[in-house]
Amino acid sequence: MTAHPPVAAQRGRHRPRRAVTSIAAVAALVAGAALTGCAQQRDSDVYTVMNSSTDESYHRWDAEAMARCGKQLGLRIEQQSVPAAQVMTKALRMASSRSLPDIVQFDASEMPTFAEAGGLVDLRTLGLETDEIPRGIVEFGSYRGTYYGAARSVNTLALFYDKDILDRAGLEVPATWDELRDTAKRLTEGKRYGLALSAGGAEDGVFQFTPFMWSNGGDETRLDGPQVVGALDYWKALLQDGSLSKSTVNWTQADVNDQFMAGNAAMMINGPWQVETLNTDKSLHWGIARIPVPRAGDASVGPLGGAVLTVPKTGDEDRERTAGRIVACLAGEKEQLTYALNSWMVPAHEKAAAVWRDRVPELDALADQVAEARSRTGRLGAGWSSVSLALQSAFQSALTGQSSEAALKRAQQRAQQRAESGNRGTRP
């Protein structure tokens, strides 16, 4: 799902469902912006960054980083923050009026749509290097091998657990699916469920399903494959055991955190964007671990979440080059570490990540999970949105009675139909 707190979650509020915009429509708008240049006159020493840092803390942290980079580069950087769900829509409107900002911070799952339409500058041509960024994170900000988006930090999901509840029950932190199912069942008592997760009909649920799908060998290119069916059957088993609330199908990741903090769940699947809120309750003693895997020894493969800084094509190559210098500063080792320590995310830069591990050892398991994490759009690019919408419908159907096999067969058909429709829309 999705990532500002890298849009995978805005202070725990993962982005809501977004409208799917056709590549043809995006291409027409961004091409017009790039070919005709900037319509509005701009102050040569003022550069604009559009992001989704509407949360007060993140807006302030970004403003401070921009002030430092602006001082270093001898220019002023202004921040324009809009709700996460509106970044793409706002960027498209600005492209149509030829008033794109110098830098847009897209959720990484949305960036390929703008890139496929030809609306972004290759960051390597602007001097950005990727030598000290792990390959998976470089791919996270790339589309078809071209590096368009620089991540300042990334996030993924982990298993959070209440230490006191597990200790009182004499239970170890589960590492496999069988252990998770057994532990969740044994911790379900009264109003407390053993586990909380989001299976809501939005990107939250898809984001949370990917560790189960991928760790089981499933693939987004074949939603009706046996490994994907098996992952959804596992969710159904947890629900049938009574270990998950029936409200799971409606919960966002913020709702999941609320349930955990209220003592209504002994464990939860969630991300580091919740840490700041978790730490407000001094009586809650929580820990994190990798998400359990189907079999001992399997890799726990979660989704990379977060946002990437991009430079839109505006037709003004001088401004684009300067925008690249701003991105290089904001995504540099020093600023990454500062941002990550504020936001509890994991720095994208290897050296910054090593320092981060030493500074926040309680989140070391999260860094391990990031090391195995994948980009949602790595295989399908802009086609991910079709898969996401199809999976969202499948969750609602399967967790309310339909078989996983039938729900995912329909999801595969829907995803394929949307992909074919999108391809027709891009033909000359």
Side-chain angles (χ1 to χ4, degrees):
M1 17 204 235
T2 118
H4 63 348
V7 183
Q10 198 138 17
R11 193 73 161 266
R13 297 186 289 276
H14 198 300
R15 59 192 179 286
R17 185 194 301 268
R18 291 186 170 95
V20 177
T21 308
S22 74
I23 295 297
V26 178
L29 291 171
V30 300
L35 292 174
T36 56
C38 301
Q40 64 180 31
Q41 293 296 318
R42 304 184 186 219
D43 187 323
S44 60
D45 292 325
V46 179
Y47 288 75
T48 304
V49 178
M50 185 168 73
N51 59 26
S52 61
S53 298
T54 54
D55 181 277
E56 187 278 330
S57 295
Y58 286 90
H59 191 83
R60 173 168 44 82
W61 297 332
D62 277 337
E64 291 169 352
M66 291 175 197
R68 288 190 294 269
C69 286
K71 182 177 181 180
Q72 177 181 320
L73 298 172
L75 45 83
R76 191 165 86 245
I77 307 170
E78 294 183 347
Q79 180 177 199
Q80 181 180 7
S81 299
V82 300
Q86 298 176 20
V87 172
M88 176 64 80
T89 304
K90 178 77 170 177
L92 291 174
R93 284 203 302 267
M94 296 177 83
S96 68
S97 63
R98 300 188 297 281
S99 59
L100 278 165
D102 299 288
I103 296 165
V104 177
Q105 184 163 284
F106 282 114
D107 177 53
S109 68
E110 288 190 330
M111 178 273 292
T113 299
F114 227 77
E116 185 168 358
L120 300 177
V121 180
D122 179 350
L123 294 182
R124 288 193 176 98
T125 67
L126 300 179
L128 274 80
E129 302 291 339
T130 59
D131 294 347
E132 296 188 86
I133 302 174
R135 179 179 176 183
I137 299 178
V138 174
E139 292 176 350
F140 180 67
S142 300
Y143 179 65
R144 292 184 177 176
T146 301
Y147 184 56
Y148 292 112
R152 299 157 72 193
S153 64
V154 292
N155 62 73
T156 190
L157 295 167
L159 178 71
F160 288 70
Y161 56 92
D162 187 313
K163 293 181 178 180
D164 294 335
I165 292 175
L166 263 71
D167 286 346
R168 285 195 297 268
L171 297 173
E172 299 293 328
V173 179
T176 66
W177 281 10
D178 285 345
E179 292 173 1
L180 177 61
R181 186 175 179 184
D182 179 66
T183 301
K185 190 185 298 186
R186 293 171 66 179
L187 293 177
T188 298
E189 180 181 301
K191 294 183 179 180
R192 186 186 71 209
Y193 292 93
L195 179 67
L197 56 79
S198 168
E203 185 71 14
D204 280 43
V206 180
F207 197 69
Q208 295 227 330
F209 183 65
T210 53
F212 295 87
M213 175 174 72
W214 288 338
S215 297
N216 200 39
D219 192 290
E220 54 268 37
T221 63
R222 189 187 170 195
L223 298 182
D224 55 353
Q227 296 90 348
V228 185
V229 172
L232 190 49
D233 274 342
Y234 183 73
W235 270 18
K236 284 174 68 79
L238 292 169
L239 190 64
Q240 290 161 0
D241 287 346
S243 300
L244 292 178
S245 168
K246 292 181 179 178
S247 298
T248 292
V249 295
N250 300 314
W251 282 347
T252 64
Q253 293 183 113
D255 296 328
V256 169
N257 193 59
D258 289 343
Q259 295 297 319
F260 182 73
M261 293 190 69
N264 297 329
M267 301 178 288
M268 70 170 176
I269 305 295
N270 227 313
W273 50 87
Q274 306 293 9
V275 170
E276 186 177 6
T277 304
L278 289 170
N279 284 343
T280 62
D281 185 350
K282 302 304 180 184
S283 67
L284 177 61
H285 304 128
W286 57 271
I288 67 168
R290 297 190 197 189
I291 296 175
V293 292
R295 295 157 298 275
D298 288 348
S300 182
V301 186
L304 273 176
V308 291
L309 294 166
T310 70
V311 176
K313 288 184 179 178
T314 61
D316 188 331
E317 294 184 359
D318 288 340
R319 288 190 72 93
E320 289 171 3
R321 281 192 290 272
T322 301
R325 294 170 60 210
I326 295 171
V327 170
C329 180
L330 292 173
E333 179 183 347
K334 182 178 180 181
E335 289 298 338
Q336 277 196 24
L337 181 59
T338 300
Y339 184 79
L341 289 171
N342 280 332
S343 64
W344 302 97
M345 306 299 172
V346 182
H349 193 283
E350 288 180 334
K351 289 182 179 177
V355 175
W356 181 89
R357 278 181 184 260
D358 290 337
R359 298 278 291 276
V360 284
E362 66 272 26
L363 296 182
D364 195 56
L366 185 72
D368 292 337
Q369 188 85 56
V370 162
E372 298 284 350
R374 278 182 47 193
S375 166
R376 285 163 287 166
T377 59
R379 295 189 181 180
L380 297 178
W384 171 260
S385 60
S386 296
V387 165
S388 177
L389 290 173
L391 280 174
Q392 291 166 29
S393 297
F395 300 156
Q396 299 297 300
S397 299
L399 296 178
T400 55
Q402 191 177 33
S403 73
S404 299
E405 186 176 5
L408 288 167
K409 182 176 181 180
R410 178 59 179 148
Q412 178 62 27
Q413 293 170 344
R414 287 176 172 171
Q416 189 169 343
Q417 288 167 357
R418 288 192 180 100
E420 291 172 350
S421 176
N423 288 337
R424 285 195 297 271
T426 59
R427 289 173 186 168

